[in-house]
Every structure is written in C-alpha cells, then in structure tokens.
Amino acid sequence: MSGFPEFIYRDNELFVESVPLKQIADEFGTPCYIYSRSALTKAYQEFDSSFASRDHLICYAVKANSNIAILNLFAQLGSGFDIVSGGELLRVIKAGGDPGKTVFSGVGKNVNEMRMALDANILCFNVESEAELLALNQIAEDMDKIAPVSLRVNPDVDAKTHPYISTGLKENKFGIPTSEAERIYKSAHRYAHIRFTGLDCHIGSQLTDLEPFMQAGNKMLDLLNKLQSQGLEIEHLDLGGGLGIRYANETPPTIKEYVSALCAKTHQIKQRLLIEPGRSLVGNSGILLTRVEYLKHTPARNFAIVDAAMNDLMRPALYDAYHEILPVTENNGECKNYQIVGPVCETGDFLGHDRRLSLAHGNLLAIMSAGAYGMSMSSNYNTRPRAAEVMIDKSTVHIIRQRETIDQLIATEQVLP
Ligand code: LLP
C-alpha cells in the first residue's frame, strides 16, 4: 500500500487511479508532475460538505498549485480563490474562476495589481498595512470605484510550524496588530473609497494541531465583537489557510475535524465564513515522477542520481522537507541506504536522504505528496526546462502543461547590439 488511496500498487506496479505510472513515463517522459482528479475532487468536497448548512466560501490558495486545469476543476466544484498577484488573478479568470469569489492577499500588492483587481470586481482585498489601505483608497478613487476590504490581522499566535512558513507571530511581516486594526476599522470614514466588508487572518502553513487555529479564532471573535458593538457591519470572517497534510508520520486533523472545529468556534456569529486552504486541497493529490539516471556508490554513501532536482521540487532544499519516495515497480532485490539527489550543482540539491530502496539504472521513483508547492515553486535553475504536468481522470491521461523547451526558456533573452 502507498497510504494514498488514488496512488496504489497493483501487482507490484504503482498506479494513479487506473493508469500505471510506467505508462505515463513512457508517454510524457520524466520528470513529470501527476495529479489525480479524483483525489482533488474528494478533498474539495470534504471541505465543502463539512461546512454543512453554514454560509461559507472556500477560497483555494492558488499559490499552492496554479495550473489552470486545477483552478478550472475547483471553479467547477464551486470554489473561490485566494490570490497573491495580478498573475494569479489572470490565471483564475483564464480558468473560468469567478473574480466575485476571489480574495487578494499579500503584503506588497502594486498599483497595477490593485487596478486589475478593481477592474475585475474581486470579492475582497485582504489589506496588510495602513500604507496599503491609503494606496488602495487612492487608486479606487481614481477609478471611481469602492474597494471591498478585510484587514488582515496578525493575531500573534504561534503556529508551531517551520519558521519560514509561520506568519501569525508579531515578529512576522504579515498582517496588522489587533489593536491597530481596531483603530483603522474605526476610522473607516477617512477612506471614502474603501468599504470594510470582512476581517481576515492567516497564521501559517502545514499546521498539524488545531489549537493555534482556535487561539487565532478567539482573537478574531473578540475583535469582531468590538467592531460590531461600534456599529461596524462586517459581512465575513476569513480564517485563512494552513491545515497540514501527512508527508511522513504527521497526524494532522482531518479536513472534516478542522472545518467542524472552525464552525463550532464561530457558531455564535452570523457572518459568512471564508477559508483559504492550499496544501490540504492539492498536496496529497499529486506526485513527482522521476527516473534514476545513475547509481554512484562511494565509500561514504550511496547516491541515486535522478532526473528531477531542486529546481523541480524545492521543498527539501528550502525547508529540509520530507517527501516519501516510492519505487514505481516493487522488487525484492537487496535494499541499500540511498541519498536521492538531482543533477543540480549544489549539495542542497536532494529529494530525500537515507532512503532504503533496491534500485537499478532506469528505475522510476514516485516522490509523494508533491501536489502543493511543487510545480508552483519550480524554477529554471541550471537552465533546466520545467517538468510536464498531467492529470489522471480514471483511465484517461490529460496533459495539462507541456514540458518546457530550452528554446522557450531563452526566447525572451537577447545579447547586446
Ligand atoms: N492564505 C494565505 C494568505 C497564505 O499566505 C497561504 C500560504 C495560504 C492561504 C495557504 O496556506 P496552506 O493552506 O497551503 O497552508 N511554500 C511553503 C508553503 C508556503 C505557504 C505560504 N502561504 C511550503 O512548501 O511548505
């Protein structure tokens, strides 16, 4: 068993839904990202159904995986979107997503991006500083528009996750301290082209415990109460994303447990609930398929040099993240302790350390749980074209992004005259 229901062994061969991974490697080459439509759909539906009759909007965090086929799938299921750039807004629109269900997060939205989003009539700007609010007010005035706004509050809670992806501590660059947010909301009359419609927070990513979400929830509810008692009409409460997934032995709450806890925490309020999940929707729905190029046995270590690298999947190099690595064809050969590394010229270029595997030249490996922050964080480092992406729907394989060519990669560069 692989432990991931859509990625299963049949007669020692790893399948995605009804398609053997070997077939995908033959047809599309490696490295290749592969997603399961069924896994993506089930994750979305578990979120949606867990809200039961509660008024809610799931805003998929596009940054986790921004392929337009994935955005389109979620849009068809009714999803909204959480974007952090003008580029992500264009992707949402191209994918058939509804800007009216889209919130715009991020500390550094620029003038052009604000204009694009106002033009598209997005649901809400999640504003992260007073300076940003002033700028947005001015741009909205110039465009003769009213910008719908949530202030992103920094609730100062410890998400107990990797420091690079913890965002809700007062030392972090994100959000506005609670007391300051209260003051800004109360000065709403000063911003003629802003309408405060919501209240927002996001405390970090890959949280495996509900407690920090509950602590942040308490702080948000306190603030909401204060604002309401001052007569401010807040229409929605956005509790951000952050639910973790299982990469190795983590035991995060299920999607249902998480959503139920949020609904229970906020049962006294009438506001619509928004959440911005990324990883928990796509993380375990995708893998990275790679092939062993060379085995190299040194006195110190055994290396399996594969054709995927840190430019394809940056998480191990950047966060020392663990991804399970499975053989595509199980065999009973002798296992050795392998360092699974890519061709990039850095010692930090590894996909896994100390994996016990029986390997031979040409074998295929599946890097699991790579659906979130895999392709979306990939780069062209070492002038490596980015991988192809495919989506499996039962026994059908759809290419959703062609492998990049080297010509495409250098097409916009030019030498001096
Ligand atoms: N909302 C906001 C405002 C965010 O900044 C993020 C993620 C999310 C929602 C979605 O969080 P999720 O549900 O995916 O945890 N590259 C890192 C993760 C960075 C997360 C950044 N913000 C990684 O590979 O672990």
Side-chain angles (χ1 to χ4, degrees):
M1 272 304 291
S2 70
F4 305 98
E6 272 76 16
F7 301 88
I8 39 165
Y9 284 103
R10 291 184 199 156
D11 297 332
N12 301 326
E13 281 297 323
L14 191 55
F15 279 62
V16 190
E17 301 194 23
S18 306
V19 180
L21 284 172
K22 223 169 39 181
Q23 176 192 320
I24 300 169
D26 289 346
E27 201 170 334
F28 299 99
T30 52
C32 182
Y33 275 97
I34 300 162
Y35 311 106
S36 155
R37 179 178 183 164
S38 158
L40 292 162
T41 306
K42 281 189 206 160
Y44 182 85
Q45 286 172 341
E46 186 177 346
F47 269 106
D48 201 32
S49 62
S50 303
F51 277 101
S53 56
R54 182 72 188 253
D55 184 15
H56 68 278
L57 181 64
I58 298 160
C59 293
Y60 167 59
V62 172
K63 64 168 83 69
N65 189 320
S66 55
N67 186 292
I68 60 169
I70 290 181
L71 303 184
N72 173 259
L73 179 65
F74 288 142
Q76 285 185 48
L77 293 167
S79 188
F81 298 93
D82 167 50
I83 56 166
V84 289
S85 69
E88 287 191 352
L89 176 58
L90 287 185
R91 282 181 177 276
V92 166
I93 293 169
K94 179 148 192 217
D98 182 355
K101 290 183 179 177
T102 299
V103 298
F104 193 168
S105 301
V107 290
K109 304 169 192 81
N110 67 33
V111 175
N112 283 340
E113 291 174 325
M114 288 179 178
R115 282 183 178 279
M116 278 168 70
L118 280 168
D119 236 356
N121 295 320
I122 65 162
L123 175 64
C124 190
F125 290 84
N126 291 340
V127 167
E128 303 218 17
S129 66
E130 209 167 4
E132 184 192 333
L133 190 65
L134 276 168
L136 181 59
N137 187 53
Q138 184 60 55
I139 294 163
E141 183 180 339
D142 296 346
M143 294 174 70
D144 200 17
K145 291 236 177 197
I146 303 288
V149 163
S150 279
L151 293 186
R152 173 167 173 186
V153 172
N154 182 327
D156 192 23
V157 299
D158 185 357
K160 298 194 179 74
T161 181
H162 190 287
Y164 287 8
I165 55 175
S166 183
T167 55
L169 282 171
K170 64 177 188 297
E171 297 80 13
N172 299 139
K173 71 178 173 182
F174 299 99
I176 301 173
T178 318
S179 55
E180 203 175 314
E182 188 181 345
R183 175 182 63 72
I184 300 172
Y185 275 111
K186 286 186 197 157
S187 64
H189 56 277
R190 288 179 40 207
Y191 304 97
H193 288 265
I194 299 289
R195 192 164 77 85
F196 286 117
T197 56
L199 182 56
D200 168 53
C201 76
H202 169 76
I203 57 173
S205 196
Q206 184 55 14
L207 275 73
T208 52
D209 186 2
L210 285 176
E211 190 46 37
F213 290 117
M214 298 299 106
Q215 286 171 17
N218 286 336
K219 298 209 172 176
M220 300 295 281
L221 289 175
D222 277 353
L223 180 56
L224 186 65
N225 268 333
K226 285 188 187 157
L227 299 179
Q228 292 196 132
S229 63
Q230 310 275 334
L232 254 151
E233 275 296 320
I234 298 292
E235 293 160 23
H236 73 251
L237 179 61
D238 180 343
L239 293 169
L243 176 63
I245 61 167
R246 192 181 74 75
Y247 286 98
N249 304 316
E250 303 93 334
T251 50
T254 62
I255 291 172
K256 188 171 183 8
E257 285 164 350
Y258 163 76
V259 173
S260 303
L262 296 186
C263 289
K265 168 70 48 198
T266 56
H267 75 279
Q268 284 149 326
I269 62 166
K270 60 174 191 332
Q271 276 78 8
R272 182 184 212 196
L273 280 191
L274 263 61
I275 52 168
E276 303 166 356
R279 188 190 317 264
S280 49
L281 276 169
V282 292
N284 276 332
S285 306
I287 63 160
L288 174 61
L289 183 64
T290 184
R291 195 181 283 281
V292 176
E293 298 271 26
Y294 301 106
L295 296 180
K296 178 167 169 175
H297 306 283
T298 72
R301 292 175 128 187
N302 301 309
F303 294 96
I305 300 158
V306 299
D307 63 5
M310 65 188 285
N311 74 297
D312 299 299
L313 180 65
M314 201 180 177
R315 304 192 69 258
L318 189 59
Y319 314 114
D320 206 13
Y322 179 94
H323 286 258
E324 195 169 346
I325 300 179
L326 296 175
V328 166
T329 308
E330 287 182 309
N331 71 53
N332 295 323
E334 187 205 344
C335 286
K336 288 198 172 80
N337 205 26
Y338 278 103
Q339 314 305 318
I340 312 295
V341 300
V344 163
C345 304
E346 296 207 21
T347 299
D349 177 30
F350 70 96
L351 298 173
H353 282 144
D354 299 319
R355 305 304 172 91
R356 282 204 74 73
L357 291 160
S358 160
L359 294 179
H361 166 78
N363 282 176
L364 292 168
L365 293 173
I367 319 287
M368 306 305 289
S369 312
Y373 306 109
M375 188 66 182
S376 63
M377 290 175 74
S378 66
S379 77
N380 294 120
Y381 188 39
N382 279 208
T383 306
R384 290 171 50 85
R386 273 172 294 182
E389 291 180 289
V390 301
M391 195 184 302
I392 309 303
D393 184 6
K394 300 185 187 74
S395 56
T396 310
V397 184
H398 298 279
I399 178 104
I400 60 170
R401 180 184 170 122
Q402 304 282 347
R403 182 176 306 285
E404 202 166 30
T405 65
I406 294 174
D407 282 345
Q408 286 170 337
L409 210 150
I410 56 175
T412 53
E413 299 177 27
Q414 57 189 43
V415 298
L416 298 187

PDB file of all heavy atoms in Angstrom, residues 359-379:
ATOM      1  N   LEU A 359      17.531  -0.357  -5.989  1.00  0.00           N
ATOM      2  CA  LEU A 359      17.472   0.461  -7.202  1.00  0.00           C
ATOM      3  C   LEU A 359      18.400  -0.033  -8.297  1.00  0.00           C
ATOM      4  O   LEU A 359      19.448  -0.628  -8.020  1.00  0.00           O
ATOM      5  CB  LEU A 359      17.851   1.915  -6.874  1.00  0.00           C
ATOM      6  CG  LEU A 359      16.898   2.688  -5.961  1.00  0.00           C
ATOM      7  CD1 LEU A 359      17.441   4.094  -5.725  1.00  0.00           C
ATOM      8  CD2 LEU A 359      15.499   2.753  -6.566  1.00  0.00           C
ATOM      9  N   ALA A 360      18.008   0.233  -9.521  1.00  0.00           N
ATOM     10  CA  ALA A 360      18.870  -0.019 -10.680  1.00  0.00           C
ATOM     11  C   ALA A 360      18.719   1.160 -11.632  1.00  0.00           C
ATOM     12  O   ALA A 360      17.705   1.874 -11.581  1.00  0.00           O
ATOM     13  CB  ALA A 360      18.451  -1.318 -11.375  1.00  0.00           C
ATOM     14  N   HIS A 361      19.699   1.331 -12.474  1.00  0.00           N
ATOM     15  CA  HIS A 361      19.658   2.376 -13.505  1.00  0.00           C
ATOM     16  C   HIS A 361      18.331   2.290 -14.279  1.00  0.00           C
ATOM     17  O   HIS A 361      17.897   1.206 -14.657  1.00  0.00           O
ATOM     18  CB  HIS A 361      20.846   2.177 -14.456  1.00  0.00           C
ATOM     19  CG  HIS A 361      20.730   2.949 -15.723  1.00  0.00           C
ATOM     20  ND1 HIS A 361      20.995   4.287 -15.786  1.00  0.00           N
ATOM     21  CD2 HIS A 361      20.337   2.576 -16.969  1.00  0.00           C
ATOM     22  CE1 HIS A 361      20.787   4.707 -17.014  1.00  0.00           C
ATOM     23  NE2 HIS A 361      20.393   3.693 -17.757  1.00  0.00           N
ATOM     24  N   GLY A 362      17.688   3.427 -14.472  1.00  0.00           N
ATOM     25  CA  GLY A 362      16.462   3.438 -15.276  1.00  0.00           C
ATOM     26  C   GLY A 362      15.180   3.231 -14.473  1.00  0.00           C
ATOM     27  O   GLY A 362      14.088   3.389 -15.010  1.00  0.00           O
ATOM     28  N   ASN A 363      15.315   2.867 -13.199  1.00  0.00           N
ATOM     29  CA  ASN A 363      14.094   2.680 -12.381  1.00  0.00           C
ATOM     30  C   ASN A 363      13.337   4.001 -12.249  1.00  0.00           C
ATOM     31  O   ASN A 363      13.928   5.085 -12.245  1.00  0.00           O
ATOM     32  CB  ASN A 363      14.452   2.219 -10.960  1.00  0.00           C
ATOM     33  CG  ASN A 363      14.808   0.744 -10.874  1.00  0.00           C
ATOM     34  OD1 ASN A 363      15.191   0.279  -9.807  1.00  0.00           O
ATOM     35  ND2 ASN A 363      14.684   0.019 -11.965  1.00  0.00           N
ATOM     36  N   LEU A 364      12.019   3.873 -12.071  1.00  0.00           N
ATOM     37  CA  LEU A 364      11.188   5.056 -11.833  1.00  0.00           C
ATOM     38  C   LEU A 364      10.890   5.180 -10.339  1.00  0.00           C
ATOM     39  O   LEU A 364      10.661   4.177  -9.658  1.00  0.00           O
ATOM     40  CB  LEU A 364       9.868   4.935 -12.595  1.00  0.00           C
ATOM     41  CG  LEU A 364       9.968   5.004 -14.119  1.00  0.00           C
ATOM     42  CD1 LEU A 364       8.639   4.569 -14.752  1.00  0.00           C
ATOM     43  CD2 LEU A 364      10.345   6.424 -14.567  1.00  0.00           C
ATOM     44  N   LEU A 365      10.883   6.417  -9.857  1.00  0.00           N
ATOM     45  CA  LEU A 365      10.530   6.677  -8.459  1.00  0.00           C
ATOM     46  C   LEU A 365       9.400   7.701  -8.412  1.00  0.00           C
ATOM     47  O   LEU A 365       9.336   8.618  -9.250  1.00  0.00           O
ATOM     48  CB  LEU A 365      11.739   7.240  -7.692  1.00  0.00           C
ATOM     49  CG  LEU A 365      12.926   6.293  -7.496  1.00  0.00           C
ATOM     50  CD1 LEU A 365      14.103   7.040  -6.884  1.00  0.00           C
ATOM     51  CD2 LEU A 365      12.517   5.114  -6.606  1.00  0.00           C
ATOM     52  N   ALA A 366       8.530   7.537  -7.425  1.00  0.00           N
ATOM     53  CA  ALA A 366       7.432   8.496  -7.218  1.00  0.00           C
ATOM     54  C   ALA A 366       7.737   9.295  -5.955  1.00  0.00           C
ATOM     55  O   ALA A 366       7.881   8.717  -4.878  1.00  0.00           O
ATOM     56  CB  ALA A 366       6.114   7.753  -7.076  1.00  0.00           C
ATOM     57  N   ILE A 367       7.870  10.609  -6.127  1.00  0.00           N
ATOM     58  CA  ILE A 367       8.053  11.490  -4.966  1.00  0.00           C
ATOM     59  C   ILE A 367       6.644  11.888  -4.534  1.00  0.00           C
ATOM     60  O   ILE A 367       5.943  12.590  -5.284  1.00  0.00           O
ATOM     61  CB  ILE A 367       8.859  12.764  -5.325  1.00  0.00           C
ATOM     62  CG1 ILE A 367      10.034  12.466  -6.258  1.00  0.00           C
ATOM     63  CG2 ILE A 367       9.279  13.520  -4.069  1.00  0.00           C
ATOM     64  CD1 ILE A 367      11.195  11.776  -5.671  1.00  0.00           C
ATOM     65  N   MET A 368       6.226  11.435  -3.383  1.00  0.00           N
ATOM     66  CA  MET A 368       4.832  11.572  -2.985  1.00  0.00           C
ATOM     67  C   MET A 368       4.536  12.959  -2.395  1.00  0.00           C
ATOM     68  O   MET A 368       5.453  13.711  -2.036  1.00  0.00           O
ATOM     69  CB  MET A 368       4.479  10.490  -1.949  1.00  0.00           C
ATOM     70  CG  MET A 368       4.802   9.064  -2.400  1.00  0.00           C
ATOM     71  SD  MET A 368       4.044   8.618  -3.996  1.00  0.00           S
ATOM     72  CE  MET A 368       2.317   8.492  -3.510  1.00  0.00           C
ATOM     73  N   SER A 369       3.253  13.247  -2.276  1.00  0.00           N
ATOM     74  CA  SER A 369       2.764  14.486  -1.620  1.00  0.00           C
ATOM     75  C   SER A 369       3.364  15.734  -2.252  1.00  0.00           C
ATOM     76  O   SER A 369       3.702  16.690  -1.551  1.00  0.00           O
ATOM     77  CB  SER A 369       3.092  14.480  -0.126  1.00  0.00           C
ATOM     78  OG  SER A 369       2.737  13.273   0.475  1.00  0.00           O
ATOM     79  N   ALA A 370       3.486  15.724  -3.574  1.00  0.00           N
ATOM     80  CA  ALA A 370       4.165  16.831  -4.250  1.00  0.00           C
ATOM     81  C   ALA A 370       3.186  17.757  -4.977  1.00  0.00           C
ATOM     82  O   ALA A 370       3.601  18.611  -5.761  1.00  0.00           O
ATOM     83  CB  ALA A 370       5.196  16.275  -5.235  1.00  0.00           C
ATOM     84  N   GLY A 371       1.885  17.599  -4.690  1.00  0.00           N
ATOM     85  CA  GLY A 371       0.890  18.405  -5.402  1.00  0.00           C
ATOM     86  C   GLY A 371       0.867  19.863  -4.989  1.00  0.00           C
ATOM     87  O   GLY A 371       0.425  20.727  -5.746  1.00  0.00           O
ATOM     88  N   ALA A 372       1.341  20.153  -3.760  1.00  0.00           N
ATOM     89  CA  ALA A 372       1.316  21.537  -3.274  1.00  0.00           C
ATOM     90  C   ALA A 372       2.731  22.089  -3.190  1.00  0.00           C
ATOM     91  O   ALA A 372       3.629  21.425  -2.652  1.00  0.00           O
ATOM     92  CB  ALA A 372       0.673  21.605  -1.884  1.00  0.00           C
ATOM     93  N   TYR A 373       2.923  23.293  -3.686  1.00  0.00           N
ATOM     94  CA  TYR A 373       4.210  23.985  -3.608  1.00  0.00           C
ATOM     95  C   TYR A 373       5.328  23.174  -4.272  1.00  0.00           C
ATOM     96  O   TYR A 373       6.475  23.217  -3.852  1.00  0.00           O
ATOM     97  CB  TYR A 373       4.555  24.338  -2.150  1.00  0.00           C
ATOM     98  CG  TYR A 373       3.446  25.120  -1.471  1.00  0.00           C
ATOM     99  CD1 TYR A 373       2.643  24.550  -0.477  1.00  0.00           C
ATOM    100  CD2 TYR A 373       3.176  26.430  -1.851  1.00  0.00           C
ATOM    101  CE1 TYR A 373       1.606  25.264   0.111  1.00  0.00           C
ATOM    102  CE2 TYR A 373       2.143  27.150  -1.271  1.00  0.00           C
ATOM    103  CZ  TYR A 373       1.365  26.558  -0.287  1.00  0.00           C
ATOM    104  OH  TYR A 373       0.338  27.273   0.282  1.00  0.00           O
ATOM    105  N   GLY A 374       4.963  22.380  -5.266  1.00  0.00           N
ATOM    106  CA  GLY A 374       5.941  21.637  -6.043  1.00  0.00           C
ATOM    107  C   GLY A 374       6.161  22.418  -7.332  1.00  0.00           C
ATOM    108  O   GLY A 374       7.062  23.262  -7.441  1.00  0.00           O
ATOM    109  N   MET A 375       5.281  22.164  -8.314  1.00  0.00           N
ATOM    110  CA  MET A 375       5.408  22.860  -9.600  1.00  0.00           C
ATOM    111  C   MET A 375       5.359  24.376  -9.430  1.00  0.00           C
ATOM    112  O   MET A 375       6.075  25.105 -10.122  1.00  0.00           O
ATOM    113  CB  MET A 375       4.279  22.399 -10.523  1.00  0.00           C
ATOM    114  CG  MET A 375       4.430  22.910 -11.926  1.00  0.00           C
ATOM    115  SD  MET A 375       5.903  22.189 -12.718  1.00  0.00           S
ATOM    116  CE  MET A 375       5.838  23.007 -14.304  1.00  0.00           C
ATOM    117  N   SER A 376       4.523  24.856  -8.492  1.00  0.00           N
ATOM    118  CA  SER A 376       4.358  26.319  -8.384  1.00  0.00           C
ATOM    119  C   SER A 376       5.620  26.996  -7.871  1.00  0.00           C
ATOM    120  O   SER A 376       5.791  28.201  -8.050  1.00  0.00           O
ATOM    121  CB  SER A 376       3.153  26.670  -7.511  1.00  0.00           C
ATOM    122  OG  SER A 376       3.329  26.221  -6.188  1.00  0.00           O
ATOM    123  N   MET A 377       6.507  26.262  -7.237  1.00  0.00           N
ATOM    124  CA  MET A 377       7.768  26.856  -6.765  1.00  0.00           C
ATOM    125  C   MET A 377       8.948  26.432  -7.619  1.00  0.00           C
ATOM    126  O   MET A 377      10.102  26.695  -7.273  1.00  0.00           O
ATOM    127  CB  MET A 377       8.031  26.450  -5.304  1.00  0.00           C
ATOM    128  CG  MET A 377       7.070  27.105  -4.327  1.00  0.00           C
ATOM    129  SD  MET A 377       7.323  26.504  -2.641  1.00  0.00           S
ATOM    130  CE  MET A 377       8.853  27.333  -2.200  1.00  0.00           C
ATOM    131  N   SER A 378       8.681  25.800  -8.738  1.00  0.00           N
ATOM    132  CA  SER A 378       9.798  25.296  -9.549  1.00  0.00           C
ATOM    133  C   SER A 378      10.473  26.457 -10.286  1.00  0.00           C
ATOM    134  O   SER A 378       9.895  27.522 -10.448  1.00  0.00           O
ATOM    135  CB  SER A 378       9.292  24.248 -10.547  1.00  0.00           C
ATOM    136  OG  SER A 378       8.443  24.850 -11.487  1.00  0.00           O
ATOM    137  N   SER A 379      11.676  26.225 -10.723  1.00  0.00           N
ATOM    138  CA  SER A 379      12.437  27.280 -11.398  1.00  0.00           C
ATOM    139  C   SER A 379      13.220  26.674 -12.562  1.00  0.00           C
ATOM    140  O   SER A 379      13.149  25.466 -12.817  1.00  0.00           O
ATOM    141  CB  SER A 379      13.410  27.940 -10.419  1.00  0.00           C
ATOM    142  OG  SER A 379      14.538  27.106 -10.223  1.00  0.00           O
TER     143      SER A 379
END
